[in-house]
């Protein structure tokens, strides 16, 4: 008996019958070169330290950092974003260590550029790793972040990072006018080739929790309130407006962050800019997948791949992710 469906029934499943067909018809594909590995730097020469809230990630000492970069390149990952863990003794209210040409970040950049000239390096321009209060800028008398004083410091910090040899300075602070000021400072000092990746639509998010643990910027443990400068998760238009200002001010790449809970913003921004787009799958996104996998509630590799594919599909050319090495190795295998 032929079933009533058998004649002329559209059958999309035909195209999904075998691995070869599924592979042939895949609309989005992850490539290791699209992944950027965030790496945490440890100051002294002691042993590297595990980060409890980011399974598999460590604060790396110099030797382990070299090994990690070798492993990344071997897996096909071409770029890393560096985050220094500044010793408490070097932090103060105004984050002056950020301007030290020989601080942990700048010294590390110089070493890595010698060892791995082809590894693309991103450095955050923001004050939070250097301030005792953990905010991304200096505070005014009322305790809010002082926009213009902060921007001045960021521009000087960016020049130091460019001198050290970073490929992209990445302001992650969300101050007004910082892209313009940093671009001008870089150009005035002859760093025309240093790029600017702007954390353009960066939302105030609980998903940054494990990162703040990792770099030790979580003085107010759990949730440090950055809502006077980071975006409100309720707002699409405001996010697009702020992101497009960064384009006008001279950014080379725009970023949406976090990625997974803001895919709609990514998708919308993709339609409105011709610039490359990056998305940051942040620490909390990584941690929640690991936590569920540890309980046996989700498959780690499948969830990792699916989450990254979604970010790419929504419009990200580049994905900052703590899964970079693992995902690249899986793609290669
Ligand atoms: C700081 C900065 C943060 C992250 C990257 N740069 C945290 C914050 O804004 O508080 C978060 C990254 C992550 O959670 O993985 N400017």
């Amino acid at each position: 008996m032929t079933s009533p469906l058998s004649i002329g029934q559209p059958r999309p499943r035909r195209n999904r019958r075998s691995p070869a067909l599924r592979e042939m018809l895949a609309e989005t594909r992850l490539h290791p070169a699209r992944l950027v590995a965030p790496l945490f730097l440890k100051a002294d020469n002691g042993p590297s330290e595990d980060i409890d809230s980011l399974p598999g990630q460590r604060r790396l000492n110099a030797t382990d950092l070299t090994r990690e970069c070798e492993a990344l390149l071997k897996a096909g990952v071409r770029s890393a974003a560096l985050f220094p863990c500044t010793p408490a003794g070097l932090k103060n209210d105004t984050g002056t260590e950020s301007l030290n040409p020989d601080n942990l970040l700048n010294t590390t950049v110089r070493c890595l550029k010698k060892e791995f000239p082809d590894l693309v390096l991103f450095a955050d321009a923001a004050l939070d790793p250097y301030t005792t209060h953990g905010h991304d800028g200096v505070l005014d008398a009322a305790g809010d972040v002082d926009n213009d004083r902060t921007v001045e410091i960021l521009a000087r910090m960016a020049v130091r990072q460019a001198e050290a040899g970073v490929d992209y300075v990445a302001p992650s602070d969300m101050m007004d006018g910082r892209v313009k000021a940093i671009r001008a400072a870089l150009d005035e000092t002859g760093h025309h080739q240093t790029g600017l990746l702007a954390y353009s639509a960066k939302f105030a998010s609980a998903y940054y929790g494990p990162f703040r643990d990792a770099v030790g910027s979580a003085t107010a443990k759990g949730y440090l309130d950055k809502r006077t400068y980071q975006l409100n998760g309720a707002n699409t238009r405001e996010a697009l407006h702020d992101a497009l200002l960064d384009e006008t001010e001279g950014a080379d790449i725009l970023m949406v962050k976090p990625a997974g809970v803001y895919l709609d913003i990514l998708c919308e921004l993709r339609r409105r800019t011709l610039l490359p787009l990056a998305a940051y799958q942040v620490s909390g996104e990584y941690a929640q997948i690991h936590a569920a996998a540890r309980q046996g509630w989700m498959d780690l590799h499948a969830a990792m791949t699916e989450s990254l594919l979604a970010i790419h599909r929504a419009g990200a050319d580049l994905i900052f992710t703590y899964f970079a090495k693992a995902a690249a190795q899986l793609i290669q295998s």
Side-chain angles (χ1 to χ4, degrees):
M1 253 292 275
T2 43
S3 89
L5 276 182
S6 67
I7 297 164
Q9 169 65 33
R11 293 189 185 275
R13 285 185 59 191
R14 254 180 231 131
N15 284 340
R16 304 197 286 262
R17 276 179 309 144
S18 68
L21 289 181
R22 292 193 292 272
E23 176 86 346
M24 178 177 90
L25 298 171
E27 297 173 41
T28 311
R29 204 167 259 131
L30 286 170
H31 190 278
R34 295 201 177 275
L35 306 175
V36 181
L39 300 175
F40 296 106
L41 313 176
K42 188 167 182 284
D44 47 60
N45 276 325
S48 297
E49 296 163 355
D50 290 340
I51 302 164
D52 291 342
S53 51
L54 291 174
Q57 305 296 310
R58 290 179 302 161
R59 298 181 194 91
L60 299 163
N61 65 20
T63 316
D64 289 330
L65 178 66
T66 300
R67 286 201 194 112
E68 187 63 19
C69 291
E70 281 165 356
L72 285 167
L73 287 167
K74 192 160 168 249
V77 177
R78 315 290 302 268
S79 54
L82 304 176
F83 295 100
C85 304
T86 309
L90 292 176
K91 294 189 185 188
N92 57 27
D93 269 9
T94 50
T96 43
E97 177 65 6
S98 65
L99 299 175
N100 176 359
D102 297 317
N103 67 18
L104 175 59
L105 178 89
N106 294 328
T107 329
T108 306
V109 169
R110 278 194 289 272
C111 291
L112 285 182
K113 272 291 160 188
K114 264 195 219 117
E115 278 180 287
F116 307 100
D118 295 332
L119 184 67
V120 176
L121 295 181
F122 295 87
D124 249 37
L127 281 172
D128 57 304
Y130 309 101
T131 52
T132 31
H133 43 71
H135 279 290
D136 293 36
V138 294
L139 305 182
D140 62 19
D144 189 13
V145 173
D146 184 327
N147 193 88
D148 296 14
R149 267 175 67 217
T150 299
V151 168
E152 234 172 82
I153 299 173
L154 293 176
R156 287 159 62 204
M157 184 192 315
V159 172
R160 294 285 135 78
Q161 295 175 347
E163 286 163 358
V166 294
D167 297 278
Y168 288 86
V169 170
S172 67
D173 56 293
M174 291 300 283
M175 295 305 121
D176 296 333
R178 90 279 207 216
V179 171
K180 188 167 141 201
I182 291 174
R183 186 68 269 162
L186 292 174
D187 288 349
E188 278 159 16
T189 50
H191 296 103
H192 301 103
Q193 298 305 330
T194 306
L196 226 157
L197 175 145
Y199 285 65
S200 297
K202 175 168 177 179
F203 291 87
S205 175
Y207 285 80
Y208 306 148
F211 173 94
R212 292 178 189 172
D213 266 357
V215 295
S217 69
T219 26
K221 259 219 171 252
Y223 196 74
L224 183 61
D225 190 348
K226 299 190 174 183
R227 285 178 298 177
T228 71
Y229 45 106
Q230 297 179 348
L231 291 162
N232 180 351
N235 294 355
T236 303
R237 278 182 283 119
E238 185 188 13
L240 295 173
H241 172 62
D242 211 331
L244 292 172
L245 278 176
D246 287 352
E247 172 167 3
T248 336
E249 291 183 21
D252 300 294
I253 304 175
L254 304 180
M255 179 192 269
V256 174
K257 172 186 177 188
V261 274
Y262 295 96
L263 291 181
D264 56 328
I265 306 292
L266 194 54
C267 195
E268 196 64 39
L269 189 56
R270 178 67 292 163
R271 282 198 270 269
R272 290 169 196 248
T273 179
L274 296 177
L275 288 178
L277 276 187
Y280 200 139
Q281 182 181 52
V282 300
S283 55
E285 299 178 73
Y286 174 88
Q288 68 185 2
I289 291 174
H290 264 284
R294 275 190 174 178
Q295 299 279 342
W297 293 343
M298 288 207 296
D299 179 81
L300 181 68
H301 280 168
M304 166 180 88
T305 306
E306 188 176 342
S307 64
L308 292 172
L309 208 50
I311 296 166
H312 188 29
R313 188 190 65 231
D317 302 294
L318 268 184
I319 307 175
F320 285 53
T321 174
Y322 302 95
F323 285 124
K325 187 175 64 179
Q329 286 169 340
L330 191 69
I331 295 165
Q332 278 189 347
S333 67

